[in-house]
Amino acid sequence: MPDLGGHHVPRLYDSRKRISVTGGAGFLGSHLIDRLLEQGHEVLCIDNLFTGTKRNIEHLHNHPRFEFIRHDVTFPLYVEVDEIYNLACPASPIHYQHDPVQTTKTSVHGAINMLGMAKRISCKILQASTSEVYGDPEVHPQKEDYWGSVNPIGPRSCYDEGKRCAETLFFDYHRQHGLEIKVARIFNTYGSRMHPSDGRVVSNFIIQALKGEPITLYGDGSQTRSFCYVDDLVDGLIRLMESPPDFVGPVNLGNPVEFTIRELAELVCAKIETSQEMIMEALPQDDPKRRRPDISLAKAKLDWSPSVALSDGLEATIAYFKSIEGVTDYPS
Ligand code: NAD
Ligand code: UDP
């Protein structure tokens, strides 16, 4: 056995990397994997299939540079890679509130395990953080230096506080152990492969409109969100991973065009050429009233800004949901 010099395995191609994506069978992770494979890298997908599904990665089944490990990141893992994208965590309110203790464990223990792995093998690690770290913000639009307004004991806290603690761990590993980290604060993102029953607003409205069912506005629909198309977001994540080592974030990644939820409902109905009744349902506790990213840092440091307008992204997403009508093998 030749001496491989610690954990460093020689590469046939200098630019080809071995990259691990936790949460890779989910919505964002599976798109990220597609892009990394297109770039010629080897990808190791790590996922426990809690909200992700093999459907999202089945087209990669025989891909020579793709591997899948069914693994829960709350347990340690020993693999050798050059980079880690840490995306494992349920992202929709319905899913992350289903088992809130496991949600916090996934963010916190998952971060500890992945950071520990990154430290052992000296690799770069990126955290998929979230606009939820700003809570129900008093500052608008949200900039990275805003510390947030988060309820520590509410139904969203398992996700919000879990993600905030994960950011703390990332920065402490960086300061204490010199680990190369990147932290992205992702704002509402949509596109194909969103789980059809995860209750997020874009998928809910499209499915309701396609089925001819009433559109469920929580509250009066005047709350706002800013919706980023998945291709733009993936581009931002990769640019962040490839940015110089002295840029660690946190950096907002999202589309700064803000819509009310009612406007989104009207746009979805117009695209599907239907006019559904809109019914008001109770606004979930601690639902943020306004959300829009200030992306000047991403523009300056990553030369990144989204290019897909909501109207165009919705068309692609509607086509996807039409294509899976009748599919029943999603985890519930
Ligand atoms: P998703 O639910 O589709 O994907 C999450 C993936 O993580 C799933 O495949 C799931 O099975 C996996 N997972 C969950 N717990 C795990 C565990 N303990 N061990 C291993 N795998 C586990 O959600 P998504 O929208 O693709 O989100 C991906 C990441 O991006 C999440 O960390 C989320 O917090 C973050 N994010 C997403 C958005 C968005 O709008 N989509 C916004 C902000 C942040
Ligand atoms: N929402 C809604 N109807 C739905 C689903 C969601 O009005 O059927 C609202 C929800 O209350 C929130 C916004 O849409 O104000 C975005 O919800 P989502 O769950 O997609 O993401 P969040 O940004 O709240 O995490």
Side-chain angles (χ1 to χ4, degrees), residues 221-235:
S222 64
Q223 69 272 37
T224 68
R225 294 293 186 273
S226 308
F227 299 100
C228 186
Y229 188 58
V230 62
D231 289 1
D232 282 332
L233 197 278
V234 164
D235 181 42

Side-chain angles (χ1 to χ4, degrees), residues 195-199 202-216 268-269 272-277 318 321-328 330:
H195 196 296
S197 56
D198 76 5
V202 174
S203 43
N204 259 17
F205 286 0
I206 291 176
I207 291 167
Q208 288 163 348
L210 286 175
K211 287 186 176 164
E213 292 172 356
I215 307 289
T216 52
V268 167
C269 288
I272 295 178
E273 294 179 354
T274 178
S275 58
Q276 297 310 319
E277 179 194 359
I318 290 166
F321 280 105
K322 280 185 179 164
S323 78
I324 61 159
E325 269 176 318
V327 170
T328 53
Y330 275 97

Side-chain angles (χ1 to χ4, degrees), residues 22-30 46-53 56 71-74 86-92 95 102 105-107 127-132 159 163 184-190 193-195 198 200 233:
T22 77
F27 159 51
L28 292 182
S30 62
I46 296 160
D47 202 298
N48 69 351
L49 301 182
F50 172 49
T51 54
T53 157
N56 289 342
H71 175 81
D72 180 333
V73 294
T74 63
N86 188 38
L87 273 65
C89 187
S92 87
H95 281 157
Q102 174 68 9
K105 279 189 188 168
T106 295
S107 278
Q127 168 68 355
S129 190
T130 166
S131 53
E132 284 282 323
Y159 183 73
K163 289 285 187 177
R185 290 186 179 153
I186 303 169
F187 284 64
N188 297 62
T189 302
Y190 68 98
R193 304 187 194 150
M194 293 182 86
H195 196 296
D198 76 5
R200 283 190 266 193
L233 197 278

